[in-house]
Amino acid sequence: MLDLKPTGAGTGTAVAAREDGVQVRANVYPVQVAGVGIAIPEGRLTNADLERMVETTDEWIVSRTGIRERRIAPPDVATSDLALAAARAALNDAAMEPGEIDLIIVATITPDHSFPATACLVQAGLGIANIPAYDLSAGCSGLAYAIDQAWHALSSGAYKNALVIGADTLSRIVDFTDRRTCVLFGDGAAALVLSRREPGATPGILASNLGADGRGGSLLILPAGGSRLPASHATVAARQHYLQMNGQEVFKFAVRILEESTRRVLAKAGLTVDDLDLFIPHQANIRIIEAARERLGIPPERVIVNVDHYGNTSAASIGLALAEALQEGRLRPGMLVAMTGFGTGLTWGSILLRWTKEPNGTPAVTER
Ligand code: UT7
């Protein structure tokens, strides 16, 4: 573990003491969020619609999950289309041209194809080339993972502006005959432009906490279509190309890890829950959010909730909630905000931000 201590004010250089005692020099630049954009499909799937599809009720869905409707992408819209629309909106919000971006990371578990990477499709859509673009698979923790990775890439001095996108069309892998899962998920994308600032500038990203416990891999899984179980008539007949979830086990993990990871990321920055102005948890279930909020002792007015109108949008979730907080004027410069995701893997990820961006109207929202 590297413990970086800045050496000269304004130099952007730090000395890192490795565990083996060797001293290494590293560049440490502050990184800020320069733009936010989202893309959500126009099509709404309401609880009343689901009542006509499976044996369920609006009352069950609202009381057990808090979800009232979700957005579903039309057949001709894939994950990269939503990701590209969100990316354009974020660039617009940052007042930046695509050519200023030098790194693209797309967090998704529903890529357009196994390969090429969805990030490469987004890159082509933006009309740029010759910069790294790759996908990252961490489920609903994906955007937190991607922000962490881009933050380190930028703060090292290797890159200047990164486009980080969380995008999923989970409706494509949900079994709409399985009432235990089909009521939960929706489609969407959220993009952030992260920018390196000159040494001495106020850091926007203060700390991160990522983790995984692969022993829980089977609790939330898409069994078929990969190298373990290639797609075949048999896998399709067995509905193994749809996601499967052990809801109760994921629920318990979610409540525990939302609290633990949020406390850990605050502790890394020498801060506590009382310092938090805004908490943006992954939007999977209002009961998970409420249980974690109570364990953390955060008042309801400091928590962003939009699971009621988007459902669980996987990698887009915390980004959509961040954009909504901005739009509603609930996130202003100087505020301390923690975003925490959890999901398949099992994985988790928290990002701690000091919000630095002055309001630039409302974040651009593109609907398709
Ligand atoms: O992004 C990360 C991934 N996902 C999550 O975070 C999800 C975590 N888990 C959950 O949110 C909850 O476990 C669920 C919402 C999935 C389920 O809620 P639950 O309170 O854990 O319900 P349950 O699975 O214990 O099921 C209770 C009953 C069962 O009936 P019986 O066996 O008691 O007769 C289910 O068959 O509710 C039944 N049920 C439904 N009934 C009506 C399950 N789904 C439905 C439904 N409509 N849609």
Side-chain angles (χ1 to χ4, degrees), residues 50 54-58 60-61 63-65 67 139-141 170 178-185 219-220 245-254 282-288 312-314 317 342-344 346:
L50 284 160
V54 287
E55 201 183 325
T56 191
T57 59
D58 174 58
W60 191 98
I61 302 171
S63 63
R64 298 286 183 128
T65 72
I67 303 169
C140 308
S141 315
L170 250 59
D178 177 8
R179 70 175 185 176
R180 292 166 304 158
T181 52
C182 74
V183 301
L184 303 174
F185 301 101
L219 296 176
L220 180 45
M245 179 172 70
N246 180 331
Q248 289 182 357
E249 286 305 314
V250 175
F251 191 106
K252 283 186 260 177
F253 157 75
H282 171 43
Q283 307 285 313
N285 185 324
I286 189 66
R287 287 158 54 217
I288 294 175
N312 181 346
T313 55
S314 189
S317 166
F342 58 85
T344 179
L346 298 171

Tab-separated table of all heavy atoms in Angstrom, residues 50 54-58 60-61 63-65 67 139-141 170 178-185 219-220 245-254 282-288 312-314 317 342-344 346, ligand 1:
chain	number	residue	atom	x	y	z
A	50	LEU	N	-46.524	-4.409	-15.581
A	50	LEU	CA	-45.979	-5.685	-15.093
A	50	LEU	C	-47.081	-6.586	-14.531
A	50	LEU	O	-46.996	-7.812	-14.627
A	50	LEU	CB	-44.895	-5.433	-14.041
A	50	LEU	CG	-43.568	-4.960	-14.644
A	50	LEU	CD1	-42.707	-4.255	-13.601
A	50	LEU	CD2	-42.793	-6.130	-15.248
A	54	VAL	N	-46.777	-10.651	-15.431
A	54	VAL	CA	-46.480	-11.735	-14.479
A	54	VAL	C	-47.429	-11.633	-13.291
A	54	VAL	O	-48.127	-10.623	-13.135
A	54	VAL	CB	-45.009	-11.660	-13.957
A	54	VAL	CG1	-44.016	-12.068	-15.011
A	54	VAL	CG2	-44.686	-10.280	-13.388
A	55	GLU	N	-47.406	-12.661	-12.421
A	55	GLU	CA	-48.299	-12.644	-11.265
A	55	GLU	C	-47.699	-11.753	-10.178
A	55	GLU	O	-46.905	-12.200	-9.336
A	55	GLU	CB	-48.485	-14.073	-10.759
A	55	GLU	CG	-49.738	-14.232	-9.929
A	55	GLU	CD	-49.854	-15.641	-9.387
A	55	GLU	OE1	-49.441	-16.587	-10.094
A	55	GLU	OE2	-50.318	-15.772	-8.244
A	56	THR	N	-48.030	-10.478	-10.242
A	56	THR	CA	-47.512	-9.522	-9.259
A	56	THR	C	-48.537	-8.417	-9.067
A	56	THR	O	-49.547	-8.361	-9.778
A	56	THR	CB	-46.159	-8.935	-9.725
A	56	THR	OG1	-45.569	-8.217	-8.641
A	56	THR	CG2	-46.312	-7.992	-10.917
A	57	THR	N	-48.256	-7.544	-8.092
A	57	THR	CA	-49.153	-6.407	-7.872
A	57	THR	C	-48.324	-5.152	-7.641
A	57	THR	O	-47.178	-5.224	-7.176
A	57	THR	CB	-50.034	-6.612	-6.606
A	57	THR	OG1	-49.152	-6.764	-5.482
A	57	THR	CG2	-50.939	-7.814	-6.742
A	58	ASP	N	-48.929	-4.023	-7.964
A	58	ASP	CA	-48.289	-2.734	-7.693
A	58	ASP	C	-47.964	-2.637	-6.199
A	58	ASP	O	-46.886	-2.194	-5.814
A	58	ASP	CB	-49.239	-1.606	-8.118
A	58	ASP	CG	-48.724	-0.234	-7.741
A	58	ASP	OD1	-47.613	0.109	-8.173
A	58	ASP	OD2	-49.416	0.482	-6.985
A	60	TRP	N	-47.260	-5.056	-4.050
A	60	TRP	CA	-46.080	-5.856	-3.676
A	60	TRP	C	-44.801	-5.134	-4.111
A	60	TRP	O	-43.847	-4.993	-3.345
A	60	TRP	CB	-46.134	-7.257	-4.319
A	60	TRP	CG	-45.084	-8.189	-3.759
A	60	TRP	CD1	-45.251	-9.125	-2.786
A	60	TRP	CD2	-43.685	-8.256	-4.135
A	60	TRP	NE1	-44.062	-9.759	-2.514
A	60	TRP	CE2	-43.083	-9.253	-3.324
A	60	TRP	CE3	-42.887	-7.574	-5.046
A	60	TRP	CZ2	-41.737	-9.589	-3.417
A	60	TRP	CZ3	-41.535	-7.904	-5.130
A	60	TRP	CH2	-40.969	-8.903	-4.323
A	61	ILE	N	-44.787	-4.665	-5.357
A	61	ILE	CA	-43.552	-4.063	-5.887
A	61	ILE	C	-43.190	-2.799	-5.104
A	61	ILE	O	-42.037	-2.613	-4.700
A	61	ILE	CB	-43.686	-3.745	-7.398
A	61	ILE	CG1	-44.008	-5.013	-8.202
A	61	ILE	CG2	-42.397	-3.123	-7.925
A	61	ILE	CD1	-44.371	-4.755	-9.660
A	63	SER	N	-44.176	-1.858	-2.020
A	63	SER	CA	-43.828	-2.075	-0.610
A	63	SER	C	-42.511	-2.833	-0.450
A	63	SER	O	-41.771	-2.596	0.497
A	63	SER	CB	-44.970	-2.804	0.116
A	63	SER	OG	-45.154	-4.085	-0.454
A	64	ARG	N	-42.173	-3.734	-1.383
A	64	ARG	CA	-40.934	-4.522	-1.240
A	64	ARG	C	-39.713	-3.871	-1.881
A	64	ARG	O	-38.584	-4.230	-1.562
A	64	ARG	CB	-41.101	-5.911	-1.870
A	64	ARG	CG	-42.164	-6.776	-1.251
A	64	ARG	CD	-41.719	-7.306	0.105
A	64	ARG	NE	-42.722	-8.187	0.657
A	64	ARG	CZ	-42.480	-9.413	1.100
A	64	ARG	NH1	-41.267	-9.903	1.070
A	64	ARG	NH2	-43.453	-10.131	1.593
A	65	THR	N	-39.937	-2.935	-2.838
A	65	THR	CA	-38.782	-2.381	-3.562
A	65	THR	C	-38.778	-0.849	-3.655
A	65	THR	O	-37.724	-0.252	-3.862
A	65	THR	CB	-38.716	-2.908	-5.015
A	65	THR	OG1	-39.773	-2.300	-5.778
A	65	THR	CG2	-38.852	-4.407	-5.087
A	67	ILE	N	-40.132	0.667	-6.134
A	67	ILE	CA	-40.105	0.996	-7.565
A	67	ILE	C	-41.546	1.148	-8.103
A	67	ILE	O	-42.414	0.328	-7.819
A	67	ILE	CB	-39.358	-0.105	-8.372
A	67	ILE	CG1	-37.932	-0.286	-7.822
A	67	ILE	CG2	-39.323	0.255	-9.866
A	67	ILE	CD1	-37.205	-1.514	-8.360
A	139	GLY	N	-20.547	-4.775	-12.521
A	139	GLY	CA	-21.977	-4.700	-12.215
A	139	GLY	C	-22.392	-3.312	-11.773
A	139	GLY	O	-21.978	-2.303	-12.348
A	140	CYS	N	-23.192	-3.289	-10.717
A	140	CYS	CA	-23.736	-2.009	-10.246
A	140	CYS	C	-22.679	-1.177	-9.521
A	140	CYS	O	-22.922	-0.024	-9.176
A	140	CYS	CB	-24.926	-2.259	-9.338
A	140	CYS	SG	-26.152	-3.336	-10.077
A	141	SER	N	-21.492	-1.753	-9.262
A	141	SER	CA	-20.377	-0.972	-8.700
A	141	SER	C	-19.548	-0.365	-9.825
A	141	SER	O	-18.547	0.316	-9.567
A	141	SER	CB	-19.452	-1.865	-7.866
A	141	SER	OG	-20.161	-2.722	-7.024
A	170	LEU	N	-30.242	-3.464	-18.933
A	170	LEU	CA	-30.517	-4.745	-18.275
A	170	LEU	C	-31.797	-5.402	-18.787
A	170	LEU	O	-31.969	-6.615	-18.646
A	170	LEU	CB	-30.569	-4.550	-16.754
A	170	LEU	CG	-29.389	-5.189	-16.029
A	170	LEU	CD1	-28.075	-4.636	-16.485
A	170	LEU	CD2	-29.511	-5.084	-14.529
A	178	ASP	N	-40.092	-14.036	-15.109
A	178	ASP	CA	-39.643	-14.298	-13.729
A	178	ASP	C	-39.978	-13.088	-12.849
A	178	ASP	O	-39.275	-12.077	-12.868
A	178	ASP	CB	-38.129	-14.559	-13.731
A	178	ASP	CG	-37.580	-14.762	-12.327
A	178	ASP	OD1	-38.388	-14.843	-11.364
A	178	ASP	OD2	-36.340	-14.811	-12.194
A	179	ARG	N	-41.035	-13.192	-12.067
A	179	ARG	CA	-41.494	-12.037	-11.283
A	179	ARG	C	-40.499	-11.622	-10.204
A	179	ARG	O	-40.544	-10.505	-9.702
A	179	ARG	CB	-42.856	-12.346	-10.641
A	179	ARG	CG	-42.797	-13.376	-9.527
A	179	ARG	CD	-44.147	-13.546	-8.862
A	179	ARG	NE	-44.050	-14.446	-7.715
A	179	ARG	CZ	-45.049	-14.719	-6.905
A	179	ARG	NH1	-46.223	-14.161	-7.111
A	179	ARG	NH2	-44.886	-15.532	-5.882
A	180	ARG	N	-39.598	-12.545	-9.821
A	180	ARG	CA	-38.644	-12.212	-8.747
A	180	ARG	C	-37.593	-11.207	-9.210
A	180	ARG	O	-36.975	-10.529	-8.403
A	180	ARG	CB	-37.945	-13.480	-8.235
A	180	ARG	CG	-38.876	-14.424	-7.482
A	180	ARG	CD	-38.224	-15.774	-7.306
A	180	ARG	NE	-37.827	-16.323	-8.604
A	180	ARG	CZ	-36.886	-17.254	-8.768
A	180	ARG	NH1	-36.228	-17.725	-7.734
A	180	ARG	NH2	-36.601	-17.687	-9.984
A	181	THR	N	-37.346	-11.144	-10.523
A	181	THR	CA	-36.311	-10.221	-11.010
A	181	THR	C	-36.832	-9.156	-11.982
A	181	THR	O	-36.317	-8.048	-12.007
A	181	THR	CB	-35.183	-10.996	-11.731
A	181	THR	OG1	-35.771	-11.836	-12.724
A	181	THR	CG2	-34.365	-11.826	-10.759
A	182	CYS	N	-37.879	-9.491	-12.770
A	182	CYS	CA	-38.227	-8.573	-13.866
A	182	CYS	C	-38.806	-7.250	-13.390
A	182	CYS	O	-38.852	-6.286	-14.153
A	182	CYS	CB	-39.156	-9.245	-14.879
A	182	CYS	SG	-40.855	-9.450	-14.316
A	183	VAL	N	-39.234	-7.189	-12.118
A	183	VAL	CA	-39.821	-5.937	-11.628
A	183	VAL	C	-38.735	-4.946	-11.185
A	183	VAL	O	-39.031	-3.790	-10.888
A	183	VAL	CB	-40.782	-6.211	-10.442
A	183	VAL	CG1	-41.901	-7.147	-10.873
A	183	VAL	CG2	-40.039	-6.785	-9.235
A	184	LEU	N	-37.482	-5.402	-11.138
A	184	LEU	CA	-36.435	-4.611	-10.467
A	184	LEU	C	-35.653	-3.671	-11.378
A	184	LEU	O	-35.190	-2.619	-10.920
A	184	LEU	CB	-35.423	-5.553	-9.791
A	184	LEU	CG	-35.991	-6.544	-8.767
A	184	LEU	CD1	-34.892	-7.495	-8.300
A	184	LEU	CD2	-36.576	-5.794	-7.582
A	185	PHE	N	-35.452	-4.054	-12.643
A	185	PHE	CA	-34.398	-3.401	-13.423
A	185	PHE	C	-34.905	-2.473	-14.528
A	185	PHE	O	-35.982	-2.682	-15.081
A	185	PHE	CB	-33.482	-4.468	-14.035
A	185	PHE	CG	-32.833	-5.343	-12.993
A	185	PHE	CD1	-33.316	-6.618	-12.724
A	185	PHE	CD2	-31.761	-4.873	-12.248
A	185	PHE	CE1	-32.738	-7.425	-11.756
A	185	PHE	CE2	-31.173	-5.670	-11.268
A	185	PHE	CZ	-31.659	-6.948	-11.024
A	219	LEU	N	-24.341	-15.589	-6.777
A	219	LEU	CA	-25.562	-14.991	-6.222
A	219	LEU	C	-26.281	-14.087	-7.220
A	219	LEU	O	-27.484	-13.850	-7.107
A	219	LEU	CB	-25.229	-14.177	-4.956
A	219	LEU	CG	-24.687	-14.987	-3.775
A	219	LEU	CD1	-24.301	-14.077	-2.623
A	219	LEU	CD2	-25.725	-16.016	-3.317
A	220	LEU	N	-25.529	-13.553	-8.166
A	220	LEU	CA	-26.120	-12.689	-9.212
A	220	LEU	C	-25.314	-12.953	-10.473
A	220	LEU	O	-24.171	-12.510	-10.594
A	220	LEU	CB	-26.034	-11.219	-8.760
A	220	LEU	CG	-26.582	-10.144	-9.682
A	220	LEU	CD1	-27.938	-10.511	-10.246
A	220	LEU	CD2	-26.679	-8.813	-8.940
A	245	MET	N	-30.760	-14.383	-9.797
A	245	MET	CA	-30.315	-13.720	-8.558
A	245	MET	C	-30.907	-14.390	-7.324
A	245	MET	O	-32.073	-14.751	-7.306
A	245	MET	CB	-30.734	-12.249	-8.580
A	245	MET	CG	-30.336	-11.495	-7.321
A	245	MET	SD	-30.632	-9.726	-7.429
A	245	MET	CE	-32.400	-9.679	-7.409
A	246	ASN	N	-30.077	-14.513	-6.296
A	246	ASN	CA	-30.547	-14.898	-4.964
A	246	ASN	C	-30.792	-13.584	-4.212
A	246	ASN	O	-29.899	-13.015	-3.600
A	246	ASN	CB	-29.480	-15.741	-4.255
A	246	ASN	CG	-29.918	-16.167	-2.869
A	246	ASN	OD1	-30.695	-15.480	-2.209
A	246	ASN	ND2	-29.434	-17.306	-2.416
A	247	GLY	N	-32.032	-13.097	-4.322
A	247	GLY	CA	-32.363	-11.751	-3.831
A	247	GLY	C	-32.073	-11.545	-2.358
A	247	GLY	O	-31.525	-10.521	-1.959
A	248	GLN	N	-32.421	-12.536	-1.545
A	248	GLN	CA	-32.271	-12.337	-0.097
A	248	GLN	C	-30.805	-12.232	0.323
A	248	GLN	O	-30.452	-11.420	1.185
A	248	GLN	CB	-32.954	-13.484	0.648
A	248	GLN	CG	-34.473	-13.386	0.545
A	248	GLN	CD	-35.177	-14.490	1.310
A	248	GLN	OE1	-34.537	-15.369	1.870
A	248	GLN	NE2	-36.493	-14.443	1.317
A	249	GLU	N	-29.949	-13.080	-0.294
A	249	GLU	CA	-28.517	-13.012	0.057
A	249	GLU	C	-27.900	-11.695	-0.413
A	249	GLU	O	-27.095	-11.081	0.288
A	249	GLU	CB	-27.755	-14.198	-0.554
A	249	GLU	CG	-28.022	-15.510	0.143
A	249	GLU	CD	-27.736	-15.455	1.651
A	249	GLU	OE1	-26.677	-14.932	2.038
A	249	GLU	OE2	-28.593	-15.908	2.432
A	250	VAL	N	-28.273	-11.262	-1.632
A	250	VAL	CA	-27.742	-9.990	-2.136
A	250	VAL	C	-28.218	-8.842	-1.248
A	250	VAL	O	-27.467	-7.907	-0.954
A	250	VAL	CB	-28.143	-9.752	-3.616
A	250	VAL	CG1	-27.692	-8.381	-4.091
A	250	VAL	CG2	-27.555	-10.841	-4.511
A	251	PHE	N	-29.452	-8.941	-0.779
A	251	PHE	CA	-30.016	-7.908	0.097
A	251	PHE	C	-29.164	-7.745	1.363
A	251	PHE	O	-28.774	-6.636	1.739
A	251	PHE	CB	-31.452	-8.305	0.474
A	251	PHE	CG	-32.253	-7.225	1.149
A	251	PHE	CD1	-33.257	-6.551	0.457
A	251	PHE	CD2	-32.021	-6.869	2.469
A	251	PHE	CE1	-33.999	-5.545	1.073
A	251	PHE	CE2	-32.747	-5.865	3.089
A	251	PHE	CZ	-33.748	-5.210	2.385
A	252	LYS	N	-28.847	-8.870	2.002
A	252	LYS	CA	-28.073	-8.812	3.259
A	252	LYS	C	-26.683	-8.215	3.024
A	252	LYS	O	-26.210	-7.377	3.780
A	252	LYS	CB	-27.939	-10.228	3.861
A	252	LYS	CG	-29.206	-10.696	4.556
A	252	LYS	CD	-28.985	-12.002	5.256
A	252	LYS	CE	-29.505	-13.155	4.439
A	252	LYS	NZ	-29.304	-14.477	4.945
A	253	PHE	N	-26.047	-8.700	1.933
A	253	PHE	CA	-24.727	-8.178	1.570
A	253	PHE	C	-24.807	-6.660	1.330
A	253	PHE	O	-23.955	-5.891	1.791
A	253	PHE	CB	-24.226	-8.899	0.310
A	253	PHE	CG	-23.201	-8.139	-0.481
A	253	PHE	CD1	-21.886	-8.036	-0.042
A	253	PHE	CD2	-23.544	-7.517	-1.681
A	253	PHE	CE1	-20.938	-7.330	-0.778
A	253	PHE	CE2	-22.604	-6.814	-2.420
A	253	PHE	CZ	-21.305	-6.718	-1.967
A	254	ALA	N	-25.854	-6.251	0.610
A	254	ALA	CA	-25.979	-4.844	0.203
A	254	ALA	C	-26.056	-3.913	1.407
A	254	ALA	O	-25.367	-2.891	1.476
A	254	ALA	CB	-27.217	-4.679	-0.683
A	282	HIS	N	-26.301	3.220	-4.330
A	282	HIS	CA	-26.839	2.502	-5.489
A	282	HIS	C	-28.338	2.299	-5.291
A	282	HIS	O	-28.798	1.948	-4.202
A	282	HIS	CB	-26.119	1.154	-5.613
A	282	HIS	CG	-26.738	0.247	-6.620
A	282	HIS	ND1	-27.153	0.686	-7.855
A	282	HIS	CD2	-27.034	-1.083	-6.574
A	282	HIS	CE1	-27.664	-0.331	-8.528
A	282	HIS	NE2	-27.601	-1.408	-7.774
A	283	GLN	N	-29.078	2.536	-6.368
A	283	GLN	CA	-30.547	2.496	-6.293
A	283	GLN	C	-31.050	1.113	-6.697
A	283	GLN	O	-31.371	0.873	-7.867
A	283	GLN	CB	-31.128	3.569	-7.219
A	283	GLN	CG	-30.567	4.963	-6.987
A	283	GLN	CD	-31.111	5.626	-5.738
A	283	GLN	OE1	-32.313	5.614	-5.505
A	283	GLN	NE2	-30.234	6.198	-4.921
A	284	ALA	N	-31.090	0.193	-5.731
A	284	ALA	CA	-31.559	-1.160	-6.028
A	284	ALA	C	-32.924	-1.419	-5.394
A	284	ALA	O	-33.769	-2.072	-5.993
A	284	ALA	CB	-30.559	-2.197	-5.535
A	285	ASN	N	-33.110	-0.885	-4.186
A	285	ASN	CA	-34.312	-1.199	-3.424
A	285	ASN	C	-34.402	-0.169	-2.298
A	285	ASN	O	-33.427	0.025	-1.562
A	285	ASN	CB	-34.185	-2.630	-2.854
A	285	ASN	CG	-35.434	-3.088	-2.140
A	285	ASN	OD1	-36.118	-2.301	-1.487
A	285	ASN	ND2	-35.725	-4.370	-2.254
A	286	ILE	N	-35.545	0.466	-2.130
A	286	ILE	CA	-35.688	1.511	-1.103
A	286	ILE	C	-35.437	0.925	0.295
A	286	ILE	O	-34.927	1.622	1.183
A	286	ILE	CB	-37.086	2.188	-1.175
A	286	ILE	CG1	-37.153	3.415	-0.267
A	286	ILE	CG2	-38.198	1.221	-0.817
A	286	ILE	CD1	-36.263	4.548	-0.661
A	287	ARG	N	-35.747	-0.362	0.471
A	287	ARG	CA	-35.524	-0.965	1.806
A	287	ARG	C	-34.032	-1.103	2.097
A	287	ARG	O	-33.598	-0.955	3.244
A	287	ARG	CB	-36.224	-2.334	1.896
A	287	ARG	CG	-37.746	-2.207	1.989
A	287	ARG	CD	-38.448	-3.484	1.545
A	287	ARG	NE	-37.988	-4.650	2.255
A	287	ARG	CZ	-37.837	-5.866	1.706
A	287	ARG	NH1	-38.097	-6.054	0.425
A	287	ARG	NH2	-37.420	-6.871	2.419
A	288	ILE	N	-33.235	-1.394	1.070
A	288	ILE	CA	-31.774	-1.464	1.260
A	288	ILE	C	-31.247	-0.065	1.596
A	288	ILE	O	-30.454	0.122	2.524
A	288	ILE	CB	-31.089	-2.002	-0.017
A	288	ILE	CG1	-31.483	-3.458	-0.267
A	288	ILE	CG2	-29.567	-1.859	0.083
A	288	ILE	CD1	-30.960	-4.050	-1.578
A	312	ASN	N	-33.617	-0.259	-10.798
A	312	ASN	CA	-32.176	-0.510	-10.685
A	312	ASN	C	-31.555	-0.444	-12.081
A	312	ASN	O	-31.796	-1.326	-12.904
A	312	ASN	CB	-31.976	-1.896	-10.050
A	312	ASN	CG	-30.508	-2.246	-9.869
A	312	ASN	OD1	-29.620	-1.603	-10.438
A	312	ASN	ND2	-30.249	-3.272	-9.082
A	313	THR	N	-30.770	0.598	-12.330
A	313	THR	CA	-30.166	0.782	-13.656
A	313	THR	C	-28.702	0.348	-13.671
A	313	THR	O	-27.921	0.783	-14.526
A	313	THR	CB	-30.266	2.246	-14.122
A	313	THR	OG1	-29.685	3.081	-13.114
A	313	THR	CG2	-31.713	2.649	-14.373
A	314	SER	N	-28.312	-0.488	-12.725
A	314	SER	CA	-26.981	-1.108	-12.716
A	314	SER	C	-25.865	-0.054	-12.740
A	314	SER	O	-25.845	0.822	-11.890
A	314	SER	CB	-26.897	-2.083	-13.902
A	314	SER	OG	-25.743	-2.867	-13.843
A	317	SER	N	-26.676	3.700	-12.261
A	317	SER	CA	-27.487	4.098	-11.108
A	317	SER	C	-26.971	5.306	-10.316
A	317	SER	O	-27.663	6.324	-10.193
A	317	SER	CB	-27.627	2.886	-10.208
A	317	SER	OG	-28.098	3.202	-8.950
A	342	PHE	N	-22.870	-1.301	-5.179
A	342	PHE	CA	-22.606	-2.711	-4.861
A	342	PHE	C	-23.273	-3.540	-5.937
A	342	PHE	O	-24.237	-3.105	-6.563
A	342	PHE	CB	-23.186	-3.077	-3.490
A	342	PHE	CG	-24.665	-2.824	-3.393
A	342	PHE	CD1	-25.590	-3.774	-3.826
A	342	PHE	CD2	-25.153	-1.622	-2.915
A	342	PHE	CE1	-26.953	-3.525	-3.771
A	342	PHE	CE2	-26.526	-1.363	-2.862
A	342	PHE	CZ	-27.426	-2.318	-3.291
A	343	GLY	N	-22.737	-4.727	-6.187
A	343	GLY	CA	-23.372	-5.531	-7.226
A	343	GLY	C	-22.689	-6.855	-7.470
A	343	GLY	O	-21.932	-7.362	-6.622
A	344	THR	N	-22.942	-7.388	-8.673
A	344	THR	CA	-22.453	-8.711	-9.015
A	344	THR	C	-20.939	-8.774	-8.867
A	344	THR	O	-20.224	-7.783	-9.061
A	344	THR	CB	-22.873	-9.097	-10.452
A	344	THR	OG1	-22.353	-10.387	-10.756
A	344	THR	CG2	-22.320	-8.119	-11.489
A	346	LEU	N	-19.177	-10.771	-5.956
A	346	LEU	CA	-19.803	-9.518	-5.527
A	346	LEU	C	-18.756	-8.395	-5.486
A	346	LEU	O	-17.596	-8.646	-5.133
A	346	LEU	CB	-20.425	-9.669	-4.138
A	346	LEU	CG	-21.549	-10.720	-4.067
A	346	LEU	CD1	-21.964	-10.986	-2.634
A	346	LEU	CD2	-22.774	-10.313	-4.883
B	1	UT7	O1	-27.949	-4.253	-7.917
B	1	UT7	C1	-27.719	-5.281	-7.015
B	1	UT7	C2	-28.612	-6.409	-7.248
B	1	UT7	N1	-29.866	-6.543	-6.658
B	1	UT7	C3	-30.302	-6.227	-5.438
B	1	UT7	O2	-29.766	-5.469	-4.705
B	1	UT7	C4	-31.549	-6.929	-4.994
B	1	UT7	C5	-31.478	-7.364	-3.546
B	1	UT7	N2	-32.684	-8.060	-3.127
B	1	UT7	C6	-33.912	-7.480	-3.025
B	1	UT7	O3	-34.068	-6.303	-3.304
B	1	UT7	C7	-35.056	-8.315	-2.517
B	1	UT7	O4	-34.568	-9.524	-1.992
B	1	UT7	C8	-36.149	-8.617	-3.605
B	1	UT7	C9	-36.883	-7.347	-3.953
B	1	UT7	C10	-35.493	-9.222	-4.827
B	1	UT7	C11	-37.168	-9.600	-3.043
B	1	UT7	O5	-37.754	-9.104	-1.852
B	1	UT7	P1	-37.872	-10.029	-0.562
B	1	UT7	O6	-38.549	-9.243	0.470
B	1	UT7	O7	-36.492	-10.539	-0.253
B	1	UT7	O8	-38.841	-11.174	-1.057
B	1	UT7	P2	-38.588	-12.736	-1.097
B	1	UT7	O9	-37.618	-13.081	-2.159
B	1	UT7	O10	-38.330	-13.218	0.306
B	1	UT7	O11	-39.999	-13.253	-1.522
B	1	UT7	C12	-41.153	-13.114	-0.653
B	1	UT7	C13	-42.368	-13.649	-1.392
B	1	UT7	C14	-42.143	-15.003	-2.038
B	1	UT7	O12	-43.344	-15.753	-1.923
B	1	UT7	P3	-43.458	-16.928	-0.835
B	1	UT7	O13	-42.381	-17.901	-1.176
B	1	UT7	O14	-43.244	-16.262	0.504
B	1	UT7	O15	-44.853	-17.441	-1.043
B	1	UT7	C15	-41.933	-14.664	-3.503
B	1	UT7	O16	-42.318	-15.704	-4.365
B	1	UT7	O17	-42.716	-12.740	-2.451
B	1	UT7	C16	-42.850	-13.486	-3.664
B	1	UT7	N3	-42.487	-12.607	-4.768
B	1	UT7	C17	-43.367	-11.824	-5.403
B	1	UT7	N4	-44.691	-11.639	-5.223
B	1	UT7	C18	-45.303	-10.754	-6.031
B	1	UT7	C19	-41.255	-12.432	-5.298
B	1	UT7	N5	-41.331	-11.528	-6.292
B	1	UT7	C20	-42.623	-11.133	-6.373
B	1	UT7	C21	-43.321	-10.220	-7.188
B	1	UT7	N6	-44.660	-10.061	-6.985
B	1	UT7	N7	-42.718	-9.492	-8.146
